[in-house]
């Protein structure tokens, strides 16, 4: 399967008055055509910063790409100029932002905003672009699309605004779609509809999708692979089956335990992860999750763990996976 996106050992920092915020620290992942990769983790773990770096949306300065490889199709994104990025955004990669109300222009009809995106990248007349915009609104299941295209964002419900954002993002058939918390602040019924819509987009258009969320429950039925992020690093990657049925990193296990409806939660009440994420101006020595980890060992506080391969496509950045750890020795025997 052809790779749409490839990220290797990416480091991104923000230079602030308080110091250097090391927001992304050695992130690596890839997305194939028609694949859904879910990137999950708490707020502040670096999910959105990584995604916005793909489109070069982080203002530079204060943002700074320190090192790494970032390829979108045949483009070296890090070396690509802003002028060329304006041609790539929307056409080859699009983004569904977290809050559609602040992402849509309140002074313009929704249909006109989609039309502008189409005309910017495609050689279509105004009438052809308007027809395409209405087609996209129908594709995302907005009723009375011709009438709705003439309405303003405030006349749409939250779910409809999110659908309009998806229509705009898909209007130029991008190879990669980044969905940043697309179900935030929506009720569970609308959440399910948005997830089903993303599934149809992947199936019908072959679009690669990076789905960013803090809720593992949202991605259970959609993601092919899951990358778990913590403190600017990916701590575990695997298929959805690996992550849900055979999690190996303590942070992944803690996220799963904190899901409402989890069996453990029913018995003991809703579980939370103690403590707070670390300050990325001064990341901790060793494993970043060590201060909050129930399985923390001395080595965790002194040395950063390497990435261990659990099985094909399943990796974990944790000292518990070391071959000499008592649990691994017991398994081998």
């Amino acid at each position: 399967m052809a790779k749409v996106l490839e990220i290797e050992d990416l480091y991104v920092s923000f230079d602030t008055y308080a110091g250097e915020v090391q927001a992304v620290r050695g992130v690596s992942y890839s997305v194939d055509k028609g694949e859904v990769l879910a990137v999950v983790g708490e707020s502040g773990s670096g999910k959105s910063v990584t995604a916005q770096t793909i489109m070069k949306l982080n203002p530079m300065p204060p943002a700074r790409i320190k090192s790494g490889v970032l390829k979108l199709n045949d483009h070296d994104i890090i070396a690509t100029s802003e002028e060329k990025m304006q041609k790539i955004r929307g056409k080859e990669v699009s983004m569904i932002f977290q809050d559609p109300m602040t992402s849509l222009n309140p002074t313009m009809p929704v249909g006109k905003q989609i039309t502008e995106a189409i005309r910017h990248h495609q050689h279509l007349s105004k009438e052809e672009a308007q027809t395409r915009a209405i087609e996209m609104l129908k594709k995302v299941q907005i009723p009375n699309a011709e009438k709705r295209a003439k309405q303003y964002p405030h006349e749409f419900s939250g779910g409809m605004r999110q659908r309009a954002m998806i229509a705009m993002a898909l209007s130029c058939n991008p190879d990669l779609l980044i969905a940043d918390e697309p179900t935030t602040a929506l009720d569970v019924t609308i959440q399910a509809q948005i997830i089903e819509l993303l599934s149809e987009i992947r199936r019908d258009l072959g679009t690669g999708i990076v789905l960013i969320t803090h809720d593992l429950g949202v991605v259970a039925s959609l993601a092919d692979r899951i990358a778990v992020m913590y403190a600017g690093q990916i701590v575990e990657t695997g298929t959805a089956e690996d992550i849900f049925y055979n999690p190996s990193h303590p942070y992944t296990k803690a996220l799963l335990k904190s899901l409402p409806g989890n069996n453990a939660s029913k018995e003991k009440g809703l579980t939370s992860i103690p403590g707070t994420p670390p300050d990325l101006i001064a990341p901790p020595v060793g494993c970043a999750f060590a201060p909050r980890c129930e399985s923390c060992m001395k080595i965790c506080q002194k040395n950063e763990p390497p990435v261990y391969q659990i099985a094909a496509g399943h990796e974990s950045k944790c000292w518990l996976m070391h071959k000499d750890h008592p649990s691994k020795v017991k398994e081998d025997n």
Side-chain angles (χ1 to χ4, degrees):
M1 190 73 70
K3 285 195 187 315
V4 177
L5 173 70
E6 191 169 2
I7 301 175
E8 293 181 10
D9 206 25
L10 181 67
Y11 285 79
V12 181
S13 288
F14 289 83
D15 295 316
T16 70
Y17 290 112
E20 178 188 352
V21 179
Q22 300 174 47
V24 177
R25 305 187 295 143
V27 165
S28 299
Y29 62 70
S30 63
V31 180
D32 293 338
K33 183 177 176 64
E35 180 184 36
V36 178
L37 172 71
V39 183
V40 302
E42 293 170 286
S43 297
S45 59
K47 308 182 303 295
S48 295
V49 172
T50 304
Q52 289 169 0
T53 303
I54 296 169
M55 297 183 69
K56 274 195 165 178
L57 291 178
N58 296 316
M60 301 185 187
R64 176 165 48 95
I65 301 175
K66 297 173 68 176
S67 63
V69 174
L70 205 172
K71 291 183 179 179
L72 176 70
N73 290 328
D74 296 327
H75 305 292
D76 178 355
I77 295 299
I78 294 175
T80 300
S81 66
E82 175 58 25
E83 183 180 0
K84 191 171 181 180
M85 281 303 304
Q86 291 181 14
K87 298 177 181 178
I88 293 172
R89 294 187 197 111
K91 186 176 182 180
E92 296 187 47
V93 55
S94 289
M95 190 166 186
I96 305 168
F97 293 96
Q98 202 169 130
D99 184 358
M101 192 61 192
T102 56
S103 301
L104 291 167
N105 189 333
T107 68
M108 291 173 60
V110 170
K112 186 175 181 181
Q113 295 183 55
I114 300 173
T115 300
E116 280 194 346
I118 294 169
R119 295 195 72 190
H120 181 74
H121 292 290
Q122 300 181 3
H123 300 293
L124 297 178
S125 66
K126 184 177 180 180
E127 291 73 20
E128 289 172 329
Q130 288 173 343
T131 300
R132 170 73 173 164
I134 292 170
E135 288 175 358
M136 293 309 302
L137 289 175
K138 289 179 179 178
K139 184 180 284 290
V140 298
Q141 301 168 15
I142 288 183
N144 302 318
E146 292 86 354
K147 177 183 177 181
R148 289 293 188 177
K150 299 175 183 178
Q151 294 181 330
Y152 291 82
H154 73 271
E155 298 178 89
F156 281 45
S157 67
M160 288 177 65
R161 284 195 292 268
Q162 194 63 281
R163 289 173 185 274
M165 282 293 299
I166 294 172
M168 187 183 302
L170 293 174
S171 61
C172 297
N173 295 323
D175 298 312
L176 180 68
L177 178 65
I178 301 170
D180 188 359
E181 303 276 10
T183 60
T184 295
L186 301 178
D187 63 57
V188 291
T189 303
I190 302 301
Q191 281 186 11
Q193 292 174 0
I194 296 297
I195 292 300
E196 177 60 28
L197 178 58
L198 292 175
S199 181
E200 290 175 7
I201 289 166
R202 179 264 291 272
R203 183 179 65 245
D204 298 342
L205 304 179
T207 306
I209 299 176
V210 176
L211 175 62
I212 300 168
T213 181
H214 62 273
D215 186 353
L216 274 165
V218 168
V219 305
S221 62
L222 180 62
D224 298 305
R225 290 188 300 118
I226 298 174
V228 182
M229 280 194 76
Y230 183 77
Q233 298 178 325
I234 291 182
V235 296
E236 186 170 3
T237 56
T239 63
E241 186 174 352
D242 290 332
I243 299 300
F244 280 99
Y245 297 106
N246 188 31
S248 63
H249 198 283
Y251 180 60
T252 308
K253 294 177 181 179
L255 286 178
L256 289 168
K257 286 180 181 178
S258 66
L259 284 176
N262 182 280
N263 287 331
S265 298
K266 290 178 181 177
E267 296 169 5
K268 303 176 183 178
L270 192 61
T271 304
S272 63
I273 305 174
T276 58
D279 182 358
L280 292 182
I281 291 180
V285 176
C287 175
F289 189 59
R292 308 172 71 187
C293 182
E294 295 178 353
S295 305
C296 180
M297 303 175 289
K298 287 183 179 179
I299 192 172
C300 303
Q301 299 171 329
K302 297 178 180 178
N303 300 98
E304 184 176 324
V307 176
Y308 293 98
Q309 184 164 340
I310 313 302
H314 187 190
E315 296 178 337
S316 180
K317 189 180 176 69
C318 180
W319 283 116
L320 294 175
M321 300 300 108
H322 193 281
K323 62 182 180 63
D324 293 332
H325 186 271
S327 64
K328 303 300 289 183
V329 172
K330 187 175 180 180
E331 285 177 13
D332 294 339
N333 293 333

